[in-house]
């Protein structure tokens, strides 16, 4: 068995810009330092890449792994939740067991590692900024398309419209675990509670990040259940809506803009 320092890095969550980070290492460094900035610096990551990784992990988990601590004499910080610590501990246990099994397989099949690396390449990677995991609550088929309601936890649901063929291909039904993928430019933001729209999905929360670029801005909402929704809108829209950290806003998402996926 390879020593721990030489074991291959594993990445259980998608990473932006194609770079492969060890997210377990990131979680442990956050827990040790109480700071995402310090953890990112120690790993050679940008602060933005670290935050995006944390957001992806929180969204793909049934409960938040990382929580913010506001205020305090040092301006607050970041820590792992108790659930996050249990996930890290469980992952360590699984990694040890995986190494034991791989060692046994290599004794039988000397080049097993080569084929295992090929299999790992089949893991899902996507450019969709918003990725949620949940369980199908209901499936209602029509003549061509079907309405699928996905419970993503925290009291939030997403409604997706996909073809009946896709429902059959994914074998979707009540209780099935599925991913919902939504590109950030497809997320419309509003600050008006009474606004009537054709968008089937309305997720309301508080702005936790608002970063303007040359033309567009990235706005991140935190939902009451801890999930995060990212939207890309113009800087002009940010100003006209009065969006800033701490402001309340709602994300509007058309049901046809939600892509569903399942694990093999």
């Amino acid at each position: 068995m390879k020593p721990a320092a030489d074991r291959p890095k594993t990445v259980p969550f998608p990473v932006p810009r194609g770079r492969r980070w060890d997210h377990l290492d990131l979680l442990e460094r956050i827990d040790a330092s109480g700071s995402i900035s310090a953890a990112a610096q120690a790993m050679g990551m940008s602060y933005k890449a670290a935050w995006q990784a944390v957001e992806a992990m929180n969204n793909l988990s049934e409960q938040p792994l990382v929580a913010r601590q506001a205020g305090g004499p040092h301006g607050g910080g970041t820590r792992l939740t108790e659930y996050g610590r249990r996930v890290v501990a469980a992952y360590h246990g699984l990694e040890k067991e995986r190494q034991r099994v791989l060692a046994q397989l290599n004794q039988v099949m000397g080049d097993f590692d080569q084929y295992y690396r090929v299999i790992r390449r089949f893991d899902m990677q996507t450019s969709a900024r918003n990725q949620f995991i949940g369980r199908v609550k209901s499936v209602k088929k029509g003549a061509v398309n079907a309405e699928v309601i996905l419970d993503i936890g925290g009291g939030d649901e997403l409604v997706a419209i996909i073809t009946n063929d896709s429902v059959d291909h994914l074998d979707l039904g009540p209780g099935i675990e599925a991913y919902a993928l939504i590109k950030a430019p497809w997320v419309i933001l509003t600050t008006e509670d009474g606004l009537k729209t054709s968008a089937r999905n309305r997720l309301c929360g508080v702005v936790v990040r608002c970063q303007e670029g040359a033309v567009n801005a990235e706005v991140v909402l935190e939902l009451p259940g801890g999930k995060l929704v990212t939207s890309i809108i113009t800087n002009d829209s940010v100003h006209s809506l009065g969006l800033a950290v701490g402001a309340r806003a709602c994300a509007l998402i058309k049901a046809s803009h939600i892509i569903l996926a399942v694990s093999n």
Side-chain angles (χ1 to χ4, degrees):
M1 183 183 298
K2 297 179 181 178
D6 296 332
R7 72 184 183 210
K9 296 294 185 181
T10 54
V11 186
F13 300 98
V15 184
R17 299 187 181 179
R19 181 146 184 193
R20 310 292 287 183
W21 300 106
D22 186 338
H23 286 63
L24 179 66
D25 188 17
L26 176 61
L27 289 176
E28 291 181 315
R29 290 179 185 273
I30 290 172
D31 199 33
S33 65
S35 165
I36 287 183
S37 178
Q41 185 175 10
M43 294 180 64
M45 298 176 71
S46 70
Y47 179 73
K48 181 177 181 180
W51 256 121
Q52 289 180 346
V54 167
E55 290 168 359
M57 287 188 280
N58 275 347
N59 280 352
L60 291 175
S61 174
E62 293 184 356
Q63 300 178 35
L65 305 178
V66 179
R68 301 178 186 83
Q69 292 177 306
H74 303 292
T78 310
R79 62 174 179 81
L80 290 193
T81 63
E82 184 59 33
Y83 183 79
R85 292 192 178 98
R86 291 200 299 270
V87 168
V88 170
Y91 194 86
H92 275 305
L94 288 172
E95 179 66 10
K96 290 179 181 178
E97 184 65 16
R98 186 181 76 90
Q99 290 296 327
R100 185 187 66 79
V101 172
L102 288 178
Q104 291 179 341
L105 287 170
N106 275 320
Q107 290 178 0
V108 178
M109 184 177 179
D111 55 354
F112 178 81
D113 276 343
Q114 172 187 343
Y115 301 107
Y116 180 76
R117 286 194 297 270
V118 173
I119 294 170
R120 288 288 294 174
R121 291 173 190 165
F122 300 155
D123 288 352
M124 183 182 70
Q125 297 183 54
T126 172
S127 64
R129 186 70 172 82
N130 297 287
Q131 303 166 48
F132 303 95
I133 191 167
R135 291 196 177 275
V136 175
K137 187 175 180 179
S138 66
V139 177
K140 183 179 180 181
K141 286 188 173 182
V144 177
N145 293 329
E147 175 192 85
V148 181
I149 300 180
L150 191 69
D151 182 351
I152 61 173
D156 292 310
E157 296 177 350
L158 288 172
V159 180
I161 298 296
I162 62 176
T163 64
N164 292 335
D165 286 344
S166 294
V167 169
D168 295 336
H169 175 67
L170 297 175
D171 197 20
L172 294 176
I176 296 296
E177 188 174 77
Y179 294 89
L181 310 176
I182 311 159
K183 293 178 69 68
W186 294 348
V187 179
I188 300 169
L189 296 182
T190 180
T191 54
E192 297 184 27
D193 288 332
L195 186 66
K196 293 183 178 180
T197 74
S198 62
R200 185 68 187 279
N201 298 284
R202 183 185 182 94
L203 303 174
C204 298
V206 176
V207 177
V208 293
R209 190 165 76 247
C210 185
Q211 183 176 353
E212 294 188 28
V215 177
N216 294 327
E218 178 187 80
V219 182
V220 180
L221 296 184
E222 183 172 21
L223 306 180
K227 303 294 185 183
L228 299 164
V229 181
T230 301
S231 175
I232 299 295
I233 60 176
T234 65
N235 294 336
D236 287 344
S237 294
V238 169
H239 300 155
S240 64
L241 292 172
L243 295 175
V245 173
R248 186 180 183 280
C250 294
L252 307 178
I253 307 164
K254 295 185 64 174
S256 58
H257 282 172
I258 296 179
I259 300 169
L260 298 183
V262 297
S263 299
N264 291 327

